[in-house]
Amino acid sequence: MNLPLHGCSSYLLLSFLFLLYPLAFSQPSPDQNATMIKLSQLFNSSAAGWDVTKQPNPCSWKGVNCRGGSLITGLSLSGFGLSDSDFLSVVCNISSLQSLDVSENQFSSIPHDFITNCGRIGGLKSLNFSKNWLHDSFVGFDGFVGLEFLDLSYNRLSGNISLLFDELVNLKILNVSRNNFEGVIPSNLGKSKALEQLVLSVNHFSGEIPEEIADSLLMFYSLEIITLYFDGWIDRGVHGCESLSSSCSVVPRVANYHT
């Protein structure tokens, strides 16, 4: 039996609305809702538009990414003007979290509770702490077995990095440029066979590029070591860049150097 044209239109419209119904009325779980409300209370969320009285579904808030309209998978708090990083430990209550971007804020430290609790989230793949005021040294990233992207660039972090990233075996991109790290480049950075990009520029590293890192490039042709800056004089070939072709360059901080 053939439906009239207006009947077909009504049927299609009802079908479309039926498909949209779960998305329109889906909500995060009560636990995730409670976590997001607590986060909105811990920092000045009005500038971000995080107002549960106006929009009760956190999946509709600025910087909140959800899967299926109900499962929170990402938070992008870049440029929110945040200075107190204590709230970060609360973020770790979101067990479905896959990415966290808190770049371009004014954090001076990463809470130990954040490292401990978020390190247990197996699905967390991306962390961006770039362009903050992080300073001094920190204990490193314990856990985070699924982490693939880590950006700590444009901070004031210092010390030796030999054990900071030891457990990040699935890391693909690591950027620690524009800090005050020093010492030798640790060979364990080559433990991650997935490593594709390693950015170490504008620090105070010394010594040679470890064979493990060079071997990763020669084996997978994917590792990019972008401009290593060393203090003092540079003698070509000393640091191992000659085997890495155009993917690696060593530049001294002084204008005059050996050629």
Side-chain angles (χ1 to χ4, degrees), residues 230-244:
F230 290 87
D231 290 319
W233 298 91
I234 297 296
D235 190 3
R236 183 169 298 180
V238 168
H239 298 283
C241 269
E242 74 284 354
S243 65
L244 301 185

Side-chain angles (χ1 to χ4, degrees), residues 3 5 9 27 29 64-65 67 81 95 108-109 116 122 141 165 169 172 211 218 230-231 237 249:
L3 291 174
L5 184 59
S9 300
Q27 289 268 358
S29 68
V64 180
N65 296 319
R67 184 171 69 236
S95 59
S108 60
S109 64
T116 301
F141 288 85
F165 315 109
V169 295
K172 293 182 179 180
E211 291 183 4
L218 296 176
F230 290 87
D231 290 319
S249 60

